[in-house]
């Protein structure tokens, strides 16, 4: 029997002798595989190859079902501790009014407070492309209206008909401390 990650247990171990660790964690030394397998069966446990690349391979006497459960539990716990970063995007135009700008800045602030990155995009249409400085002014105004610390991860730059910048929350910072 072998699990889906290729761990060899019991009869699947094909080497002549192994370095054996008993169920209490004690080193038993280098033992023929058939003797190690017999010792595991006497204790109603499994012989599991834990270090197949060692010379000789290291095997341990343990309850394989419980071992696999604990490995999966460690994997689940490590996934719980990870924070998944999301990239949110806010789009606007260079001729946005002050009320709408307040609303957009409030949404950006909420995303930053939740720990997400925010891509602020200004879309230029037609003749607006001749006045890209208006887009820079709008982005500066958005940054002024943010109430918590932020980091500018990607400064404002033109990408075709769009000007965008990416900002994220600064960990443990104070109000309005922009950093590149």
């Amino acid at each position: 029997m072998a699990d889906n990650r290729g761990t060899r247990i019991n009869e699947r171990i094909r080497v002549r002798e192994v370095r054996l660790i008993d169920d209490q964690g004690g080193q038993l030394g280098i033992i023929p595989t058939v003797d190690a397998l017999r010792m595991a069966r006497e204790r109603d446990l499994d012989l599991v190859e834990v270090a197949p690349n060692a010379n000789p391979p290291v095997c341990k006497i343990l309850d394989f079902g419980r071992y696999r459960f604990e490995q999966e539990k460690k994997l689940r716990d490590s996934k719980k501790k990870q924070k998944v970063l999301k990239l949110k995007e806010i789009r606007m135009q260079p001729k946005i009014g002050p009320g709408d700008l307040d609303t957009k800045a409030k949404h950006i602030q909420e995303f930053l407070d939740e720990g997400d990155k925010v891509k602020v995009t200004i879309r230029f249409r037609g003749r607006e492309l001749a006045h890209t400085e208006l887009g820079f002014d709008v982005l500066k105004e958005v940054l002024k209206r943010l109430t918590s610390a932020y980091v500018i991860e990607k400064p404002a730059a033109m990408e075709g008909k769009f000007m965008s910048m990416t900002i994220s929350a600064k960990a443990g910072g104070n109000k309005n401390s922009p950093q590149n």
Side-chain angles (χ1 to χ4, degrees), residues 12-56:
R12 297 266 173 133
I13 301 171
R14 298 278 182 218
V15 292
R16 197 174 346 153
E17 53 188 21
V18 296
R19 183 174 305 275
L20 187 63
I21 301 171
D22 67 2
D23 53 331
Q24 308 301 320
Q27 298 270 347
L28 299 180
I30 297 173
I31 296 177
T33 305
V34 291
D35 293 342
L37 191 56
R38 182 183 42 77
M39 292 170 74
R41 282 199 187 112
E42 287 172 357
R43 299 176 188 182
D44 283 334
L45 296 172
D46 297 304
L47 183 66
V48 180
E49 194 173 46
V50 292
N53 295 332
N55 189 12

Side-chain angles (χ1 to χ4, degrees), residues 108-116 118 146 148 150 167-169:
I108 292 169
Q109 187 62 57
E110 289 172 4
F111 293 145
L112 290 175
D113 291 343
E114 291 172 8
D116 298 327
V118 182
L146 296 179
S148 66
Y150 56 86
I167 57 178
S168 64

Side-chain angles (χ1 to χ4, degrees), residues 44-156:
D44 283 334
L45 296 172
D46 297 304
L47 183 66
V48 180
E49 194 173 46
V50 292
N53 295 332
N55 189 12
V58 179
C59 290
K60 192 171 187 177
I61 296 175
L62 49 82
D63 181 357
F64 184 68
R66 182 181 215 169
Y67 171 75
R68 197 168 67 195
F69 171 76
E70 288 173 1
Q71 294 297 319
E72 290 170 359
K73 187 176 176 184
K74 284 181 190 175
L75 185 65
R76 281 193 307 269
D77 288 345
S78 70
K79 284 183 181 179
K80 281 182 191 176
K81 294 176 186 171
Q82 291 178 350
K83 171 78 171 111
V84 177
L85 287 177
K86 294 179 185 169
L87 178 65
K88 304 282 187 165
E89 183 174 18
I90 298 287
R91 290 187 175 185
M92 53 187 89
Q93 292 183 332
K95 57 187 180 190
I96 189 169
D100 291 336
L101 193 59
D102 284 337
T103 303
K104 297 281 188 177
K106 188 176 98 179
H107 287 299
I108 292 169
Q109 187 62 57
E110 289 172 4
F111 293 145
L112 290 175
D113 291 343
E114 291 172 8
D116 298 327
K117 289 183 182 183
V118 182
K119 181 177 182 182
V120 184
T121 304
I122 309 260
R123 181 181 63 194
F124 294 93
R125 295 192 307 192
R127 294 181 186 167
E128 292 173 347
L129 277 168
H131 301 286
T132 56
E133 70 278 357
L134 295 175
F136 281 111
D137 294 341
V138 170
L139 292 176
K140 286 179 189 172
E141 191 60 35
V142 166
L143 293 177
K144 285 182 192 173
R145 295 175 189 223
L146 296 179
T147 58
S148 66
Y150 56 86
V151 176
I152 299 174
E153 291 194 357
K154 180 179 166 284

